[in-house]
Amino acid sequence: ESLLEAAKDGEMYDYTINFPLYSGVKALYIGLQQGAKVAKPTPYAIEKPVVYYGSSITQGGCASRPGNAYQAIITRELDCDHINLGFSGSARGEDAMAKHIAGLPMSVYVMDYDHNAPTAEHLLATHEKMYKCVRAAQPELPIIMVSCPECRLTDDQVKRREIIRATYDHAVEAGDKNVYFIDGSTLTWRFGGDSGTVDGCHPNDLGFMCMAVGIGEVVKKALG
């Protein structure tokens, strides 16, 4: 039985509308039967949203529909809202973005911009710096660092993964007990490796489910 059919029983239901991942919304119309009631939704179980920052993969390309992006899947599973700061081609760990993110109210920060750093040297110059900026503003915030979700890593991608791992290691050595590292190369191997992408890079729905399971496990742990 669909939710639309269930709604005919006169009970109140929560609905989530996932807006387009790339297209802008100019107008939204919702049709209701005469006499239907609209009320505030049931609050999320987690008060503050999870914030995701990263590449076009983070943004949601190439999910078949908005609700299949990995963050949306995690949101449904854990009953927590999220803010998607995924930018196709333009998430590069900029100081302005680090400061903006540092000021956001959030329950967890997922840092996933490996793909968009133009070089390993750029990643080295910005990754730990961004972590420190957010950590200075929010000392108790769980921060999750993810390397690119590629199945087969090039030498450059291995170097990038080690840069991210070094940020994590340095944080732990400094006494940070609320930081996590995810090796992105392990994510899509769960259910078929390359079958989880459309082009060897951008996940399809299967790949996003793999990411939702792998990253979601750590988000759940971070939330306690």
Side-chain angles (χ1 to χ4, degrees), residues 46-137:
I46 307 299
E47 181 181 358
K48 297 179 182 178
V50 177
V51 173
Y52 299 86
Y53 173 67
S55 68
S56 56
I57 294 175
T58 309
Q59 185 172 344
C62 298
S64 65
R65 58 189 181 123
N68 285 353
Y70 80 82
Q71 304 93 339
I73 298 171
I74 293 173
T75 284
R76 291 193 296 272
E77 179 68 22
L78 301 182
D79 193 18
C80 59
D81 198 3
H82 73 272
I83 296 174
N84 187 333
L85 296 177
F87 301 99
S88 182
S90 62
R92 301 187 173 189
E94 301 90 342
D95 289 345
M97 282 304 302
K99 292 176 182 177
H100 171 70
I101 291 169
L104 294 175
M106 51 186 159
S107 59
V108 178
Y109 173 42
V110 180
M111 191 174 171
D112 179 26
Y113 75 97
D114 181 358
H115 257 305
N116 281 20
T119 63
E121 289 72 25
H122 180 95
L123 186 66
L124 179 62
T126 59
H127 195 270
E128 189 163 0
K129 184 180 181 182
M130 175 175 258
Y131 153 75
K132 287 182 175 180
C133 177
V134 177
R135 173 54 76 230

Side-chain angles (χ1 to χ4, degrees), residues 60 66-67 73 78 93 98 128 144 172 181 183 219 223:
I73 298 171
L78 301 182
E128 189 163 0
I144 300 172
V172 172
F181 169 76
D183 180 351
V219 172
L223 289 170

Side-chain angles (χ1 to χ4, degrees), residues 160-176:
R160 288 164 174 266
R161 180 181 63 185
E162 294 313 306
I163 288 169
I164 295 170
R165 177 76 195 208
T167 299
Y168 167 79
D169 288 339
H170 295 162
V172 172
E173 290 164 5
D176 193 333

